[in-house]
């Protein structure tokens, strides 16, 4: 079936400038390389694909283009729910789109809100506290070392070796620095020392449909409808010690072209099963659709116990470089097939196509 697809993204080169903007302000936005690759992938499957910048102009452009579906990767620009803005417009226009909806994109952009949901469902995520001022008292149950990062950014923004803090003076300094730079609540978590893996999934659980941990009546784990990509492990051994054994902004931007990783990650089968199950549970309880990537740390001080750091319902799709793309590649799924797989599951979910 030949579809008319609008590819919606926020390009870095179209991003607005503002007073006091941090130099990494738009690191999570997309490049022409990504958009052109998505357009080409869709065209290679026989679809018509047109790129549109994810802006208010969509309200006029989309009714003219009349797409069957949008391929949405917009990260947005402003506010505490920026990733949900374009999907909200699409819902008002009643146009189907790939990926997660308004509520999920608003929720998961906020790492602390997401962690509250994970905790409610008993899913393992590091203990945490949110700071709106640098001098707020530290919860007595949080022990150093701690990890400091913005609550609503991506692409490792605000994440460097200095995010790991070993005592109160360092914590206060990091908080003051990040609050001033990012002007949003800052998340402080227990630092999980250990390996790091991220796992991508494509599809939608067939059941259960409610936003709960996917188990059937006999409490068996349900995976049906999801395709897991092989986990990718960041090869910290290949990076300077200054990066602190974390996946920093520098590694995700300046050094992205020489990313050092292992995929599939050498994870023993029982642990891999657990990671897949946790990823499916996160996907489900946060209401993700079609595609996501879930980031984990394996606690070296507790037998590699997996902890969920965050879920990315808009994982990067830079050809040949983004984590999800590398995972797909390791699974024998070339870029064009990955893009068309996402389109197909969205198309089926929207009720426009039979499986
Ligand atoms: N609690 C933590 N313990 C150890 N490392 C962490 C922790 N939180 C984040 N990190 C490191 O920082 C990186 C970026 O954090 P993450 O929450 O995934 O944000 P982003 O949206 O920038 O990817 C992670 O990939 C990991 O290396
Ligand atoms: Mg991450």
């Amino acid at each position: 079936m030949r579809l008319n697809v609008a590819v919606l993204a926020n390009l870095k080169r179209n991003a607005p400038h503002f007073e006091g903007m941090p130099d990494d302000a738009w690191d999570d936005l997309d490049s022409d390389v990504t958009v052109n690759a998505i357009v080409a992938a869709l065209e290679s499957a026989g679809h018509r694909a047109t790129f549109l910048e994810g802006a208010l102009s969509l309200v006029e452009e989309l009714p003219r283009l009349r797409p069957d579906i949008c391929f949405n990767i917009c990260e947005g620009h402003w506010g505490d729910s920026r990733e949900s803005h374009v999907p909200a417009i699409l819902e008002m226009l009643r146009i189907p789109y790939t990926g997660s909806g308004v509520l999920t994109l608003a929720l998961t952009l906020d790492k602390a809100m997401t962690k509250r949901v994970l905790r409610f469902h008993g899913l393992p995520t590091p203990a945490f506290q949110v700071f709106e001022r640098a001098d707020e008292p530290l919860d007595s149950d949080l022990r150093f070392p701690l990890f400091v990062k913005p609550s609503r950014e991506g692409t490792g923004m605000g994440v460097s070796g200095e995010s790991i803090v070993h005592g109160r003076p360092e914590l206060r300094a990091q908080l003051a620095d990040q609050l001033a730079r990012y002007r949003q609540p800052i998340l402080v978590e227990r630092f999980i020392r250990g390996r790091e893996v991220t796992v991508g999934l494509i599809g939608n659980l067939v059941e259960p449909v409610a936003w709960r941990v996917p188990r059937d009546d006999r409490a068996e784990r349900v995976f049906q409808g999801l395709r897991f990509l092989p986990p990718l492990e960041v090869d910290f051994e290949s990076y300077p010690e200054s990066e602190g054994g974390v996946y920093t902004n520098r590694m995700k931007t300046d050094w992205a072209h020489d990313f050092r990783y292992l995929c599939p990650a050498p994870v023993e089968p029982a642990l891999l099963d657990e990671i897949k199950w946790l990823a499916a549970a996160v996907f489900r309880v946060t209401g993700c659709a079609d595609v996501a990537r879930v980031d984990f740390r394996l606690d070296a001080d507790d037998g590699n116990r997996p902890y969920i750091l965050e879920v990315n319902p808009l994982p990067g799709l830079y050809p040949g470089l983004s984590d999800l793309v590398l995972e797909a590649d390791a699974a024998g799924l070339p870029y064009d097939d990955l893009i068309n797989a996402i389109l197909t599951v969205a198309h089926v979910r929207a009720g426009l196509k039979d499986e």
Side-chain angles (χ1 to χ4, degrees), residues 111 196 247 252 293 295 310 312:
K111 294 185 167 104
E196 174 153 341
Y247 196 179
K252 293 186 190 208
R293 217 194 65 235
D295 295 345
E310 61 148 356
N312 300 284

Side-chain angles (χ1 to χ4, degrees), residues 25-87:
W26 303 122
D27 278 359
D28 54 344
L29 299 191
D30 284 291
S31 66
D32 290 285
V33 176
T34 301
V35 167
N36 293 340
I38 294 172
V39 166
L42 296 169
E43 287 175 346
S44 78
H47 304 303
R48 186 179 149 206
T50 311
F51 164 66
L52 298 175
E53 172 71 29
L56 279 174
S57 48
L58 290 177
V59 174
E60 270 144 35
E61 289 167 338
L62 287 171
R64 273 206 295 272
L65 185 67
R66 297 167 54 98
D68 298 299
I69 189 165
C70 296
F71 195 102
N72 174 50
I73 58 166
C74 293
E75 304 270 349
H77 296 126
W78 311 116
D80 58 14
S81 308
R82 59 183 190 271
E83 293 182 354
S84 63
H85 290 175
V86 164

Side-chain angles (χ1 to χ4, degrees), residues 128-140 142-149 162-179 186-191:
F128 70 106
Q129 181 180 353
V130 178
F131 286 78
E132 293 185 68
R133 294 191 329 262
D135 60 356
E136 286 179 61
L138 178 66
D139 286 352
S140 56
L142 282 176
R143 299 263 177 277
F144 290 100
L146 295 170
F147 197 82
V148 186
K149 63 187 174 185
E162 279 159 25
S163 301
I164 308 163
V165 295
H166 296 90
R168 280 167 204 267
E170 265 178 85
L171 169 67
R172 300 298 173 195
Q174 259 306 302
L175 282 172
D177 190 56
Q178 293 197 20
L179 281 162
I186 301 300
L187 179 57
V188 173
E189 289 185 332
R190 176 163 89 80
F191 175 66

